[in-house]
């Protein structure tokens, strides 16, 4: 039973990567020789993937052009090895504990960008959107409520409120619901003056980001301007708006405790353990239950041994990290610093939420479909405009939160917060992690791993003052190029060319 | 013969100044394969997209199960039970077979995607179509051959207990064995009671599986004939010149062109 279809399929190498939200079935693993066996119905569906299969399948996937997270993790290890030679402080607990605070803003912006990149679009303005949102929140705290007016530009407040209401209406018209709801929450916060408190002010920043995202998504998805142009224009424009919002005076945020703690604070050791057990333990339990249930129903499933091994490794690593993090890592004997940094747990929690949204909801499925083939999605009855608007809304909201993290890390909202290379670093993080710029392929996980790669470079260089800072951009550029080359090569191989 | 399940009456479609479809009539019966034939650019795909709601209609009427309907987008067509397999295949390469088959109509449980159920139903549908060439319904569509993609597209169309299925050149890119399989599949669909519209350039295939043939010539219906009363030569003549013997367009209309 060697018919031409199975043969040509075997020749194509079983390309591509996992479809979103499913454990992979490796069509590549058999190689051309096994076409006879595969021709007999859904043989792979009832197979159980064990550890051996998983490794073999993984190796085949790497060869056939889907390296997954491997290159970025390898890169991380190589960079860590190099920098541990540059300075013996690099692998110290104190330095590693600082990494999340230094990189959380990139991780958060990159998380939002993944949604936009999955559509094959780009949001160049996510960084400067973060600038205006953090700027507005800082000014609100500074003025004990933004409704008391923005110094030097009191008219601006009512413009902001009016535009937010307009964005909410536009969002509803485009059949988005969550985005407009978030925007309206922000409007209520500022109109009631709650934004003189830190937490509501930060929520206000996020909702301002959502409003920006609805406009951006409308311009791209409905009006039809290429996202590169729309967001390039906004990238420039927001830098000017930030100057108005700040009245050309930087505003420090170290005095606002929650804001300061975002990049500098840690969870208590007890809560660190709770977080680790819930996240890593929860993952283990979830994958085990999924495997057992799928096997019981005769669906394609991963073997229990594989699931236990993988979840066990993740849990073990997480436990070791938490145990180390709960030791005092302060070199200064007068104050104890321990616990998992908020700048680590917040991005990881967001990553989990994003992953669930992308793989377990209809909306996420439709986002992947639109990114893979927009016309096919449209013909399947998917409202492509709606999907684009929601993706940009998420991108800008995360951009806003990223701006808040950045202000926390640098101590305040500077006049150029979010401009410069920041957005490009976030794009690089997503790409280094494995997200494709061409749409249809990417994971929230990529943003976190990529951000770690990006932030480790200036950190390592900064530890030896004799190294010129100019190396930072050169190394980052080289790493990005390597990541993009891996991506291009894998796509070439998976296309069978 | 029973009532037609789908009837298109006097449909007109222009793209700007180009009048692509002139007063086109098309009738589809349950349990029959209706072939839609015509030269390149005759307007076959445009007609299909007009019925699907992808292209808007300038004038004309679509009657489904005896009631006039307006179809503004593909999901409305799907709600009526009309499904399409497009010439330019509409599958998402980055999704797997199951995800593609359920795209836009995912099954959910507690608001969460019910992947297991979808996987089962996808497998059942492929099995009921006697599809034996795909090894796993969790295979990414990017890794499928042309024939397998075509199979998935057809399976997607019949997954929903549809009543009418349009197939736009489903065998154009296929080898001999796959063409055979798809033609058998087409015949089986009709035998199961569906109304099937098959667009094809291969007259032997048309003569083999179709019950009736509607020939388009430059955006007009040249003739509607029964395959059993007709011959390949006659249909080819209708396609190329709009006339054959005493059937077809009036000579004036033929000469007028577009
Ligand atoms: N979106 C469009 N805009 C303008 N003209 C179009 C459009 N779509 C189709 N046409 C024109 O309509 C005519 C009919 O095209 P159509 O694709 O329906 O032909 P067809 O019969 O399916 O041909 P083929 O056998 O090559 O598939 C052609 O002249 C084509 O150029
Ligand atoms: Mg066509």
């Amino acid at each position: 039973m060697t018919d031409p279809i199975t043969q040509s399929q075997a020749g194509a190498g079983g390309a591509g990567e996992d479809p979103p939200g499913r454990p992979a079935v490796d069509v590549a693993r058999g190689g051309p020789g096994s076409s006879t066996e595969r021709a007999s119905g859904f043989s792979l569906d009832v197979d159980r993937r064990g550890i051996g299969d998983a490794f073999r399948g993984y190796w085949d996937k790497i060869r056939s052009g889907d390296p997954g997270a491997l290159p970025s993790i390898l890169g991380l290890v190589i960079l860590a090895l190099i920098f541990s030679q540059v300075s013996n402080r690099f692998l110290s607990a104190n330095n590693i504990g600082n990494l999340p605070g230094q990189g959380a803003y990139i991780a958060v912006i990159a998380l939002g960008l993944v949604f936009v990149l999955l559509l094959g679009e780009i949001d160049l303005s996510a960084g400067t959107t973060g600038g205006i949102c953090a700027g507005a929140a800082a000014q609100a705290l500074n003025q004990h409520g933004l409704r008391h007016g923005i110094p030097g530009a009191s008219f601006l407040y009512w413009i902001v409120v009016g535009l937010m209401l307009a964005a909410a209406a536009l969002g509803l018209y485009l059949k988005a619901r969550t985005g407009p709801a978030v925007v309206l929450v922000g409007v209520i916060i500022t109109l009631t003056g709650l934004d003189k408190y830190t937490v509501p002010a930060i929520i206000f920043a996020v909702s301002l980001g959502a409003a920006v995202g609805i406009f951006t998504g409308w311009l791209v998805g409905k009006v039809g301007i290429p996202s590169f142009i729309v967001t390039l224009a906004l990238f420039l424009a927001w830098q000017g708006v930030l100057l108005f919002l700040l009245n050309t005076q930087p505003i420090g945020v170290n005095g606002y405790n929650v804001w300061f703690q975002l990049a500098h604070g840690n969870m208590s050791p007890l809560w660190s353990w709770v977080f680790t057990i819930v996240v890593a333990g929860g993952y283990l339990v979830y994958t085990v239950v999924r495997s057992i249930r799928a096997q019981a129903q005769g669906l394609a499933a991963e073997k229990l041994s594989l699931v236990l091994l993988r979840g066990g490794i993740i849990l073990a690593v997480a436990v070791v990290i938490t145990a180390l993090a709960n030791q005092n890592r302060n070199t200064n004997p007068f104050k104890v610093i321990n616990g998992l940094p908020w700048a680590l747990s917040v991005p990881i929690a967001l990553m989990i939420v994003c992953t669930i949204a992308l793989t377990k909801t209809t909306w996420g499925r439709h986002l992947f479909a639109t990114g893979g083939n927009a016309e096919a999605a449209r013909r399947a009855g998917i409202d492509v405009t709606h999907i684009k608007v929601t993706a940009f809304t998420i991108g800008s909201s995360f951009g806003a939160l990223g701006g808040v993290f950045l202000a926390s890390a640098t101590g305040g909202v500077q006049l150029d917060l979010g401009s410069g290379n920041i957005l490009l670093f976030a794009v690089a993080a997503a790409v280094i992690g494995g997200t494709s710029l061409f749409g249809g392929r990417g994971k929230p996980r990529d943003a976190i791993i990529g951000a770690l790669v990006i932030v480790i470079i200036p950190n390592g260089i900064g530890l030896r003052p004799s190294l010129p800072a100019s190396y930072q951009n050169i190394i980052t550029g080289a790493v990005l190029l390597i990541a993009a080359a891996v991506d291009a090569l894998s796509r070439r191989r998976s296309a069978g060319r | 013969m029973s009532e037609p399940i789908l009837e298109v009456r006097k449909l007109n479609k222009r793209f700007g100044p180009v009048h692509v479809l002139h007063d086109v009539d098309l009738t589809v019966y349950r349990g029959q394969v209706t072939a839609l034939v015509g030269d390149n650019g005759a307007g076959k795909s445009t007609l299909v997209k007009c019925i699907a709601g992808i292209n808007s209609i300038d004038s004309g009427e679509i009657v489904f199960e005896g009631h006039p309907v307006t179809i503004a987008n593909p999901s409305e067509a799907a709600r009526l039970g009309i499904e399409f397999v497009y010439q330019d295949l509409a599958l998402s390469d980055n999704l797997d077979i199951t995800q593609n088959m359920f795209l836009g109509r995912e099954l959910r449980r507690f608001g969460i995607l019910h992947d297991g159920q979808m996987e089962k139903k996808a497998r059942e549908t492929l099995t009921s179509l006697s599809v034996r060439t795909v090894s796993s319904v969790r295979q990414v569509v990017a890794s499928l051959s042309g024939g397998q993609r075509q199979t998935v597209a057809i399976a997607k169309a019949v997954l929903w207990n549809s009543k009418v299925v349009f197939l736009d050149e489903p065998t154009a890119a296929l080898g001999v064995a796959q063409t055979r399989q798809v033609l058998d599949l087409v015949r089986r669909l009709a035998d199961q009671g569906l109304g099937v519209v098959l667009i094809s350039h291969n007259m032997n295939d048309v003569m083999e599986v179709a019950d009736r043939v509607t020939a388009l010539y430059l955006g007009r219906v040249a003739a509607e004939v029964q395959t059993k009363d007709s011959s390949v030569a006659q249909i080819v003549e209708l396609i190329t010149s709009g006339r054959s013997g005493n059937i077809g367009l009036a000579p004036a209309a033929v000469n007028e062109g577009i």
Side-chain angles (χ1 to χ4, degrees):
Chain A
M1 228 188 121
T2 42
D3 74 40
I5 288 188
T6 30
Q7 296 231 313
S8 62
Q9 169 219 333
E17 81 286 359
D18 310 353
R22 301 287 204 76
V25 168
D26 296 301
V27 289
R29 73 176 158 150
S34 65
S35 56
T36 32
E37 139 198 7
R38 251 183 291 124
S40 55
F42 311 105
S43 48
L44 283 183
D45 277 352
V46 284
D47 272 4
R48 298 283 169 263
R49 285 184 70 213
I51 298 173
D53 292 330
F55 280 122
R56 230 169 305 130
Y58 191 62
W59 176 240
D60 279 326
K61 252 163 78 178
I62 292 171
R63 284 194 318 169
S64 71
D66 178 29
L70 188 67
S72 45
I73 290 180
L74 269 183
L76 209 55
V77 170
I78 292 171
L79 285 171
L81 284 176
I82 292 174
F83 287 128
S84 66
Q85 299 307 308
V86 168
S87 162
N88 52 11
R89 272 189 296 149
F90 179 75
L91 289 180
S92 70
N94 186 42
N95 188 55
I96 291 178
N98 286 338
L99 280 173
Q102 293 167 1
Y105 72 94
I106 291 181
V108 172
I109 297 174
L111 265 179
L113 273 175
V114 165
F115 291 85
V116 176
L117 295 177
L118 275 175
L119 291 179
E121 307 279 355
I122 184 88
D123 185 354
L124 296 174
S125 66
T128 55
T129 299
I132 60 166
C133 297
Q139 190 62 275
L141 291 170
N142 197 32
Q143 293 295 309
H144 305 288
L146 209 56
R147 63 180 174 172
H148 294 128
I150 296 159
S154 40
F155 59 96
L156 195 54
Y157 178 69
W158 293 107
I159 295 181
V160 169
V161 171
L163 286 179
M164 285 176 82
L165 286 172
L170 185 62
L172 287 173
Y173 163 69
L174 295 167
K175 299 193 207 75
R177 279 193 298 272
T178 318
V182 171
V183 174
L184 288 177
V185 167
V187 170
I188 291 169
I189 284 177
T190 185
L191 288 179
T192 53
L194 277 174
D195 52 355
K196 67 182 171 194
Y197 303 110
T198 311
V199 173
I202 290 174
I203 295 174
F204 173 73
V206 172
S207 72
L208 183 58
V212 169
I214 291 172
F215 272 121
T216 315
W218 172 70
L219 288 171
V220 173
K222 191 82 179 178
V223 182
I225 314 173
S227 58
F228 188 94
I229 302 299
V230 170
T231 59
L232 178 61
L234 295 180
F235 167 76
L236 297 171
W238 297 144
Q239 297 183 45
V241 171
L242 178 59
L243 292 179
F244 275 110
L245 284 170
L246 294 177
N247 192 25
T248 61
Q249 294 291 322
I251 300 175
V253 299
N254 284 346
Y256 307 109
N257 187 43
V258 174
W259 201 330
F260 175 77
Q261 297 292 337
L262 276 180
H264 301 98
N266 300 294
M267 302 167 86
S268 74
L270 177 65
W271 280 108
S272 301
W273 279 120
V274 171
F275 180 80
T276 299
I277 300 304
V278 167
V279 169
Y283 175 75
L284 179 65
V285 171
Y286 165 70
T287 50
V288 165
V289 169
R290 182 176 68 180
S291 164
I292 292 174
R293 290 209 0 208
Q295 294 197 29
Q297 296 176 9
L299 303 171
E302 298 167 320
K303 258 193 191 149
L304 210 51
S305 51
L306 165 68
V307 171
L308 284 171
L309 179 74
R310 191 183 50 202
I313 290 177
I314 291 176
L315 183 60
V317 170
V319 165
V320 168
I321 289 177
T322 311
L324 290 174
N326 280 348
Q327 310 290 318
N328 181 16
R329 58 175 175 272
N330 199 354
T331 46
N332 177 338
F334 298 108
K335 187 172 180 290
V336 173
I337 297 181
N338 62 0
L340 287 178
W342 285 108
L344 181 72
S345 44
V346 171
I348 286 182
L350 290 173
M351 175 195 83
I352 295 169
V353 173
C354 290
T355 305
I356 292 172
L358 278 175
T359 58
K360 295 289 161 198
T361 69
T362 334
W363 173 82
R365 182 68 45 87
H366 292 178
L367 189 98
F368 270 100
T370 307
N373 183 343
E375 180 59 22
R378 193 169 78 89
R379 290 190 196 167
I382 294 170
D383 185 345
V384 172
T385 309
H386 167 81
I387 295 288
K388 285 191 178 169
V389 169
T390 50
F392 275 96
T393 306
I394 292 174
S396 295
S397 305
F398 277 71
L401 192 60
V404 170
F405 266 100
L406 177 58
S408 176
T410 59
V413 179
Q414 273 72 42
L415 297 180
D416 61 348
L417 188 85
S419 62
N421 284 343
I422 281 164
L423 184 275
L424 300 180
F425 279 144
V427 174
V431 171
I432 288 171
T435 295
S436 167
L437 284 177
F438 298 97
R441 181 151 67 94
K443 293 189 169 96
R445 179 191 77 191
D446 301 342
I448 304 289
I449 299 178
L452 215 49
V453 173
I454 293 280
V455 73
I456 222 173
I457 296 168
N459 174 287
I461 288 171
L463 290 178
R464 180 179 278 191
S466 60
L467 276 181
S470 44
Y471 278 125
Q472 180 200 332
N473 285 345
I474 295 175
I475 297 177
T476 310
V479 169
L480 175 60
L481 206 55
I482 293 169
V486 169
D487 179 54
L489 284 177
S490 66
R491 265 184 296 108
R492 272 243 305 269
R493 303 215 31 183
S494 65
R497 262 171 272 132
Chain B
M1 183 175 299
S2 59
E3 283 292 292
I5 182 162
L6 178 76
E7 231 182 319
V8 175
R9 291 183 193 146
K10 297 228 171 301
L11 189 142
N12 280 278
K13 174 68 189 171
R14 294 168 183 273
F15 287 112
V18 194
H19 200 160
V20 178
L21 296 173
H22 292 261
D23 292 338
V24 170
D25 295 324
L26 177 72
T27 317
V28 184
Y29 293 93
R30 281 190 186 83
Q32 291 203 354
V33 177
T34 304
L36 184 61
V37 298
D39 252 337
N40 292 127
K44 307 180 294 295
S45 299
T46 306
L47 176 58
V48 172
K49 287 179 183 171
C50 283
I51 299 171
I54 291 176
N55 291 339
S56 60
I57 299 175
D58 293 332
S59 69
E61 198 183 16
I62 299 176
V63 180
F64 183 73
E65 294 186 317
H67 307 288
V69 291
T70 49
I71 300 173
N73 56 53
S75 34
E76 285 181 21
R79 219 166 295 141
L80 293 172
I82 311 175
E83 293 285 336
F84 301 87
V85 177
Y86 300 100
Q87 184 171 16
D88 39 347
L89 282 174
L91 299 174
S92 272
D93 270 358
N94 59 333
L95 301 184
D96 68 24
I97 292 176
T98 308
Q99 292 170 339
N100 264 292
M101 283 174 65
F102 282 87
L103 191 58
R105 288 173 283 188
E106 290 81 2
L107 304 181
R108 290 186 297 174
R109 194 178 46 177
F110 315 127
I112 296 281
L113 289 173
H114 197 348
D115 280 320
Q117 189 63 26
M118 290 194 269
E119 183 181 327
K120 266 190 201 158
K121 282 191 118 181
R123 214 186 295 165
E124 278 166 24
T125 306
L126 286 172
T127 311
S128 77
L129 296 175
S130 310
V131 173
R132 291 254 143 251
T133 60
V134 288
S135 56
S136 167
V137 290
R138 300 246 300 252
Q139 210 169 325
V140 184
V141 163
S143 69
L144 298 181
S145 74
Q148 291 174 317
R149 282 162 185 257
Q150 199 69 58
T151 311
V152 171
I154 295 175
K156 177 183 183 180
V158 302
L159 177 65
W160 301 97
N161 298 322
S162 34
K163 299 170 179 164
V164 179
V165 177
F166 284 80
L167 302 143
D168 195 350
E169 302 197 28
T171 59
L174 302 188
V176 180
Q178 284 74 49
T179 302
R180 183 76 265 137
Q181 285 173 356
V182 170
L183 289 181
D184 289 347
L185 193 53
V186 167
R187 197 57 246 178
R188 269 205 301 281
L189 293 181
D191 294 344
Q192 287 172 11
L194 278 73
V196 180
V197 179
L198 173 71
I199 297 179
S200 177
H201 286 292
N202 186 322
M203 288 314 125
N204 295 325
D205 295 353
V206 167
M207 291 308 280
E208 182 190 327
V209 295
D211 302 290
R212 294 161 48 259
V213 179
T214 297
L216 278 185
Y217 177 74
L218 298 176
R220 295 168 202 268
V221 175
E224 199 196 310
V225 296
Q226 305 275 334
T227 35
K228 61 178 190 297
D229 314 331
S230 175
S231 67
V232 170
Q234 186 184 31
I235 296 174
V236 169
E237 213 178 325
L238 284 170
I239 291 171
T240 51
S241 60
R243 266 194 81 75
S244 170
N246 55 359
I247 61 168
L249 293 165
V254 173
N255 294 334
E256 173 196 321
I258 306 267

